Amino acid sequence: MRQLRYLPAVGAVHGVEVLSFEALRRTDTARRRTRLQRPDFHVLALVTAGSGSHEADFRRHELRAGSVVWIRPGAVHRWSDVDRLDGPLVLFQPGFLPDPGLEDADVTAPACWNLSPQALPLAVLAAEHLDREHRAAVRSPRMASGALLAHLLAALVLRVRPETPPPSPRDTTGSRPLGVFRAYRAAVEEHFTHWHQVADYARALGYDTRTLTRATRAATGTGAKAFLDQRVLLEAKRLLAHTDLPVGSCAHRLGFRDTGNFTTFFRRQTGVTPTAWSSGRSAGTHT
């Protein structure tokens, strides 16, 4: 698995780069795109024509006109088949968007979804505007504006985000639960390899466990412990599938006391042992 750092092409400016599937194919003559990779930056793609496929964190997605792919930092993915796709790809660094909430996402956030026929033309316009401003900034650095590029990217993100249902009456009491959840999510991302109990996060953040559970359930539909367990499980699957580490080393890397404790956790979450899951992945029987 390739670890990818954000290394923009010569002339790319301000932490964002606008490419296309055609440019990806032209520059990637060795077809490295079809191999597993883990970027430390965001990749946002909009399919405007053609069909193909993509894999992200053990899920395969069929792509067509109107498909959106958002690979967030740390996700393991590969462009399985993009030989017939057209559309823009935007690479950008974490923190580049003007509103941090636009790039916030939990472990259950989708990597791929489809836009409606009405939304696709508007998304294409937003992507084209960003592309034109980016090319202008590359050609004439004096015209470059990081703030402008960031806000144009924000417009594109807002246009392509999955549609969400309107808030229910109980969600209109204010933004405090969302703020609590975001703080919890950030803490989980920082500490999940050694803190496995919600109480640890409650103490660190100054809330009680019930507050974290209510806020997480309001934001994601699941409790704080389930949210934490899913993050640990995803990293366990990534290690088992994409590294040569033995089960014991994976357990140590994820902060479990011993292999038995890790195996119990993994079996409770998946129904199989880590070894059986890895073998199933090799045989193509598990997702």
Side-chain angles (χ1 to χ4, degrees), residues 180 183-184 187-188 191 195-213 224 228:
V180 171
Y184 176 58
V188 167
H191 299 293
W195 290 358
H196 294 172
Q197 301 302 321
V198 177
D200 296 326
Y201 297 90
R203 282 192 295 270
L205 295 173
Y207 300 111
D208 60 40
T209 57
R210 288 176 297 179
T211 298
L212 293 184
T213 295
L228 172 59

Side-chain angles (χ1 to χ4, degrees), residues 72-201:
R72 295 172 173 87
V76 176
H77 81 110
R78 62 182 167 190
W79 297 106
S80 310
D81 176 16
V82 295
D83 292 345
R84 299 176 302 280
L85 294 182
D86 289 321
L89 292 99
V90 183
L91 318 181
F92 62 98
Q93 291 179 298
F96 181 75
L97 284 164
D99 178 0
L102 292 177
E103 65 180 74
D104 283 352
D106 61 61
V107 72
T108 64
C112 180
W113 61 92
N114 296 311
L115 298 179
S116 68
Q118 296 76 26
L120 177 57
L122 296 174
V124 171
L125 286 175
E128 289 178 346
H129 194 172
L130 173 62
D131 182 35
R132 290 178 181 179
E133 287 289 347
H134 180 263
R135 285 188 282 117
V138 171
R139 290 193 304 267
S140 303
R142 291 183 179 181
M143 295 182 62
S145 168
L148 176 60
L149 291 170
H151 281 84
L152 288 174
L153 176 59
L156 174 60
V157 168
L158 288 169
R159 179 51 66 191
V160 303
R161 283 202 305 186
E163 294 182 2
T164 56
S168 63
R170 66 179 179 178
D171 295 330
T172 60
T173 57
S175 60
R176 183 175 181 272
L178 181 58
V180 171
F181 168 68
R182 286 178 173 171
Y184 176 58
R185 179 175 54 197
V188 167
E189 195 60 33
E190 182 177 358
H191 299 293
F192 73 88
T193 57
H194 52 282
W195 290 358
H196 294 172
Q197 301 302 321
V198 177
D200 296 326
Y201 297 90

Side-chain angles (χ1 to χ4, degrees), residues 199-265:
D200 296 326
Y201 297 90
R203 282 192 295 270
L205 295 173
Y207 300 111
D208 60 40
T209 57
R210 288 176 297 179
T211 298
L212 293 184
T213 295
R214 285 194 297 267
T216 305
R217 192 175 302 280
T220 69
T222 191
K225 184 62 167 73
F227 177 86
L228 172 59
D229 286 347
Q230 284 300 304
R231 183 64 185 93
V232 176
L233 178 65
L234 174 59
E235 201 65 22
K237 287 181 174 181
R238 287 171 172 171
L239 291 173
L240 291 167
H242 305 312
T243 74
D244 295 326
L245 291 174
V247 173
S249 296
C250 291
H252 178 73
R253 181 82 65 90
L254 293 170
F256 288 87
R257 293 191 303 272
D258 51 47
T259 304
N261 190 252
F262 172 61
T263 299
T264 298
F265 166 82

Side-chain angles (χ1 to χ4, degrees), residues 11-76:
V13 293
H14 296 294
V16 63
E17 183 176 5
V18 184
L19 306 172
S20 67
F21 282 109
E22 191 277 330
L24 175 64
R25 293 189 295 267
R26 186 176 63 249
T27 57
D28 181 27
T29 56
R31 297 182 63 83
R32 291 180 296 176
R33 61 185 179 273
T34 63
R35 305 170 194 168
L36 290 171
Q37 50 192 262
R38 190 175 193 178
D40 66 359
F41 50 90
H42 294 270
V43 181
L44 181 63
L46 174 62
V47 179
T48 58
S51 62
S53 60
H54 175 264
E55 295 176 29
D57 280 333
F58 316 106
R59 293 186 179 182
R60 181 182 176 90
H61 304 281
E62 299 302 322
L63 306 179
R64 55 178 173 79
S67 294
V68 178
V69 179
W70 189 342
I71 303 304
R72 295 172 173 87
V76 176

